[in-house]
Amino acid sequence: MLTKRIIPCLDIKNGRTVKGVNFVDLRDAGDPVELADIYSKAGADELVFLDISATEERRKTLANLVLRVAEKVNIPFTVGGGISSVEDVDILLQNGADKVSVNSSAVKNPGLINELAAKFGSQCITVAIDAKQIDGSWIVHLVGGKVPTELDLFDWAKEVEQRGAGEILFTSMDNDGTKDGFANKALAKLSEGLNIPIIASGGAGNISHFVDTFNKGKADAALAASVFHFKEIEIKDLKKELRDHNIPVRL
């Protein structure tokens, strides 16, 4: 059985790590390079960096950050935020990123997924999907959750897989930052309907939430931010508890 992955997420704004609730009310959480080093040594399986205010002007800044992180860590890391072309991905991978995450750009130009998968391989391409429930349906949102679309989460996820994405990072906007647990029903439906890994994001508040998302949500990996940044959960303690619940993890 494949081991389940624990992934700290670093949301980057102006070169600093930040964390909010329901995608707003951001507060500073530290230097991303220092945090990456800490998490790498603490037993994280991967890292995700998302430039939540990415613009073309900051592309060089992000590439420099990627290079600094690559010099510090020995675990895979994914970089996202403002990526919209083969050239963007090429720069980040050359600077040391292992994978890239695309979100709004993929919705606006779905063919980008095919293009990136063909050029770099599906294993390099993560598609992030931010969604919230509206009138009982999970609706995909763009631009850091600010702009609703007409896309259904499950239909879009299926299309993303068919276009060549290697994995999906699903963030429930309803759960994000609430520490009330992951959106396990939606995660289970995604996992059952797709053949690529699903990363759970949004809602981690305690260790039992991770146990639940692997057992009930059938997630392949769990991503969290504030519970790690503010030392509410230590990764080694989390993994020990998961192992005690017969969930396969790398210790």
Side-chain angles (χ1 to χ4, degrees):
M1 184 184 293
L2 291 174
T3 57
K4 303 296 187 179
R5 293 170 286 151
I6 300 299
I7 308 175
C9 178
L10 293 89
D11 291 326
I12 310 298
K13 185 173 184 179
N14 300 326
R16 297 288 293 179
T17 307
V18 296
K19 186 57 193 144
V21 177
N22 300 126
F23 285 40
V24 296
D25 296 330
L26 302 177
R27 59 175 171 151
D28 189 89
D31 176 74
V33 179
E34 290 177 6
L35 286 170
D37 188 32
I38 290 168
Y39 291 138
S40 178
K41 292 172 179 173
D45 297 294
E46 296 184 17
L47 297 169
V48 167
F49 293 82
L50 298 177
D51 185 343
I52 62 173
S53 59
T55 64
E56 286 303 313
E57 295 80 51
R58 279 207 279 279
R59 180 62 51 234
K60 290 181 181 177
T61 304
L62 185 58
N64 180 258
L65 172 65
V66 168
L67 185 61
R68 289 166 58 215
V69 170
E71 291 169 347
K72 284 277 188 182
V73 307
N74 58 2
I75 57 175
F77 70 101
T78 302
V79 180
I83 295 170
S84 59
S85 69
V86 166
E87 291 74 22
D88 290 341
V89 175
D90 203 32
I91 289 169
L92 294 171
L93 294 180
Q94 283 188 34
N95 278 274
D98 297 282
K99 294 185 275 189
V100 296
S101 172
V102 292
N103 188 338
S104 297
S105 60
V107 173
K108 294 171 183 174
N109 174 22
L112 178 66
I113 303 169
N114 304 68
E115 193 178 358
L116 296 180
K119 173 74 174 178
F120 303 106
S122 292
Q123 79 284 351
C124 279
I125 310 305
T126 300
V127 172
I129 304 177
D130 301 330
K132 67 186 297 185
Q133 292 191 80
I134 298 177
D135 297 330
S137 297
W138 283 94
I139 302 301
V140 176
H141 283 59
L142 305 183
V143 195
K146 296 180 180 68
V147 179
T149 70
E150 296 182 354
L151 286 174
D152 172 81
L153 164 65
F154 305 103
D155 292 342
W156 175 234
K158 193 68 180 175
E159 180 177 345
V160 159
E161 178 183 43
Q162 291 168 347
R163 288 183 177 277
E167 64 184 358
I168 288 172
L169 167 56
F170 163 55
T171 300
S172 164
M173 294 172 59
D174 298 319
N175 298 58
D176 177 70
T178 64
K179 299 185 181 179
D180 291 333
F182 295 93
N184 290 320
K185 287 185 179 178
L187 284 160
K189 186 173 178 179
L190 284 170
S191 295
E192 289 162 359
L194 302 173
N195 295 309
I196 56 176
I198 306 297
I199 304 171
S201 169
N206 58 51
I207 288 177
S208 68
H209 292 154
F210 288 87
V211 174
D212 286 345
T213 205
F214 290 129
N215 284 336
K216 297 176 183 177
K218 305 183 189 305
D220 298 279
L223 176 147
S226 59
V227 291
F228 296 141
H229 298 341
F230 303 118
K231 302 189 184 304
E232 294 163 34
I233 296 176
E234 296 288 348
I235 292 173
K236 65 178 186 302
D237 297 334
L238 170 58
K239 286 193 166 185
K240 183 178 183 301
E241 190 76 14
L242 292 172
R243 179 67 65 88
D244 289 345
H245 280 83
N246 297 313
I247 295 168
V249 291
R250 179 184 66 86
L251 294 177

